[in-house]
């Protein structure tokens, strides 16, 4: 079984796991741009979501006559950079099953605290040797505040776990409506606007699919409470960025923190950079988790065993 590995995500632990499996012909390259040329003779690919030209080239290679690949293991949560260009129906796509969720949720909680406690302004004043206790908007404690988590999957649940430690009330918005003891109330997507009007903080944790493109838009922002905080830790295309900028510049939102944008990288001249009370981190929410690499490697190892045994793969997105 030939596996082509071509990503920097969890590289060391996943390579170590694959190298320890007997009977694997492992071809490891340094970058996604090298993968397309190796697809034809592979049985499986282990990659991260290939955006732009890399995704287009890999998808085209998968469609070539005689291509043997039957499975693509993503080491990221999403695969839209590949799926957007058309993947044959017989090719299974799997992801890492929420392995990065704890780290992403930690980053999300950091975002919320940074806005509520005005850490950006405090850092600026500290650098300028300024002793000033007045803040607009004022400092806010999270205790007793309401957090709306839109999209209650792996990341949403890990965020709820952390927000509970700050005595926040949790409102979940989910398609599945599965009950969870961490959530005070669970609501369907049809109730989204009503839920948003009750929350001081809104966290967007939805998967990126056709139905969630610009799921947060001008109408959604208008439904949020004046002075609310907003964060997005999933995919940039889930938010109408022009509408976000307007909601911030008009003062309707007190602040926003994004780890993802559309496109990525966000061009230096994009108007979003100049939005009021907005902080952007460069899609780093999943970085630094001490257990992340091990969890990803375990998913890959299990799926290799299942693939060779002809069994159903875990964490399937397609196929």
């Amino acid at each position: 079984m030939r596996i082509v590995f071509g990503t920097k995500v969890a590289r060391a632990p996943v390579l170590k796991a694959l190298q320890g499996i007997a009977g694997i012909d492992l071809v490891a390259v340094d970058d996604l741009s090298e993968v397309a040329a190796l697809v034809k003779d592979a049985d499986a690919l282990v990659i991260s979501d290939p955006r732009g030209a890399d995704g287009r080239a890999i998808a085209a290679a998968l469609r070539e006559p005689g291509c043997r690949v039957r499975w693509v293991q993503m080491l990221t949560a999403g695969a839209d950079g590949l799926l957007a260009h058309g993947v044959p129906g017989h090719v299974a796509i799997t992801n890492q099953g929420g392995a990065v969720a704890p780290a992403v949720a930690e980053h999300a909680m950091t975002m919320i605290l940074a806005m509520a406690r005005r850490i950006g302004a405090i850092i600026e004043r500290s650098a300028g040797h300024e002793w000033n206790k007045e803040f607009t908007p004022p400092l806010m404690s999270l205790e007793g505040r309401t957090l709306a988590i839109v999209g209650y999957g792996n990341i949403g649940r890990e965020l709820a776990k952390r927000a509970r430690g700050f005595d926040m009330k949790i409102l979940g918005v989910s398609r599945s409506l599965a009950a969870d003891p961490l959530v005070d109330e669970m609501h369907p997507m049809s109730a989204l606007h009503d839920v948003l009007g009750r929350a001081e903080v809104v966290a967007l944790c939805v998967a990126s699919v056709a139905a969630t493109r610009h799921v947060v838009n001008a109408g959604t922002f208008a439904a949020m409470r004046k002075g609310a905080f907003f964060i997005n830790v999933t995919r940039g295309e889930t938010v109408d960025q022009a509408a976000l900028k307007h909601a911030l510049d008009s003062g309707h939102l007190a602040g926003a923190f994004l780890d993802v944008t559309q496109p990525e990288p966000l061009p230096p001249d994009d108007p979003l950079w100049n939005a009021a009370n907005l902080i952007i981190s460069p899609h780093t929410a999943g970085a630094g988790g001490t257990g992340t690499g091990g969890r990803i490697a375990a998913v890959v190892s299990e799926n290799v065993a299942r693939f060779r045994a002809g069994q159903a793969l875990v964490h399937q997105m397609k196929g």
Side-chain angles (χ1 to χ4, degrees):
M1 176 185 179
R2 171 168 286 191
I3 296 178
V4 172
F5 178 97
T7 177
K8 295 179 174 63
V9 175
R11 187 176 182 87
V14 175
L15 276 178
K16 182 178 179 180
L18 290 172
Q19 289 163 349
I21 301 174
I24 295 293
D25 178 13
L26 181 62
V27 180
V29 294
D30 292 329
D31 194 80
L32 282 167
S33 62
E34 303 174 68
V35 172
L38 301 169
V39 167
K40 184 176 181 180
D41 297 321
D43 297 294
L45 308 179
V46 177
I47 59 176
S48 51
D49 188 19
R51 293 292 182 115
D54 292 334
R56 190 178 305 110
I58 294 171
L62 290 170
R63 296 194 301 269
E64 285 290 323
C67 177
R68 301 202 317 256
V69 173
R70 294 294 179 271
W71 164 44
V72 178
Q73 172 70 57
M74 292 291 176
L75 302 192
T76 46
D80 39 302
L82 180 64
L83 295 174
H85 301 290
V87 175
H90 63 269
V91 177
I93 309 290
T94 57
N95 70 9
Q96 35 78 354
V100 301
V104 174
E106 185 175 309
H107 197 84
M109 201 67 229
T110 302
M111 291 174 162
I112 294 169
L113 285 164
M115 291 188 295
R117 305 306 300 172
R118 304 302 314 279
I119 299 303
I122 288 172
I123 290 173
E124 289 178 2
R125 293 177 186 185
S126 178
H129 304 183
E130 179 185 357
W131 186 277
N132 181 355
K133 296 184 179 183
E134 301 300 319
F135 295 91
T136 305
L139 301 184
M140 184 181 85
S141 170
L142 298 183
E143 182 184 10
R145 306 289 183 170
T146 298
L147 167 65
I149 301 177
V150 183
Y152 198 78
N154 293 313
I155 294 171
R157 190 172 197 282
E158 290 292 333
L159 176 56
K161 187 187 301 182
R162 286 152 179 79
R164 275 291 182 197
F166 289 88
D167 294 325
M168 299 191 78
K169 180 177 181 179
I170 313 296
L171 306 181
V173 181
S174 169
R175 288 177 295 176
S176 70
L177 288 178
D180 190 309
L182 292 171
V183 177
D184 293 284
E185 301 173 21
M186 190 70 79
H187 296 272
M189 288 296 293
S190 59
L192 177 61
H193 285 198
D194 290 337
V195 171
L196 296 181
R198 300 169 54 194
E200 284 93 357
V201 183
V202 176
L204 185 61
C205 303
V206 296
S208 177
V209 295
T212 59
R213 176 174 171 77
H214 287 189
V215 67
V216 175
N217 49 48
T220 321
F221 287 121
M224 294 181 193
R225 296 175 60 158
K226 181 174 175 57
F229 293 116
F230 172 75
I231 68 169
N232 184 13
V233 290
T234 50
R235 290 292 188 182
E237 55 268 24
T238 59
V239 174
D240 181 336
Q241 293 178 173
L244 171 60
K245 186 175 187 303
H246 176 74
L248 288 165
D249 291 346
S250 68
H252 183 70
L253 292 184
F257 204 143
L258 305 178
D259 186 56
V260 288
T261 61
Q262 178 64 23
E264 291 185 5
L266 190 67
D269 60 349
D270 192 287
L272 192 63
W273 287 110
N274 297 318
N277 296 315
L278 173 65
I279 302 174
I280 300 173
S281 57
H283 206 152
T284 53
T290 56
T292 301
R295 286 189 292 270
I296 293 176
V299 169
V300 175
S301 297
E302 180 177 357
N303 269 340
V304 169
R306 286 173 171 269
F307 182 83
R308 297 171 82 179
Q311 299 172 346
L313 303 176
V314 297
H315 308 306
Q316 285 206 44
M317 308 175 68
K318 171 190 171 297

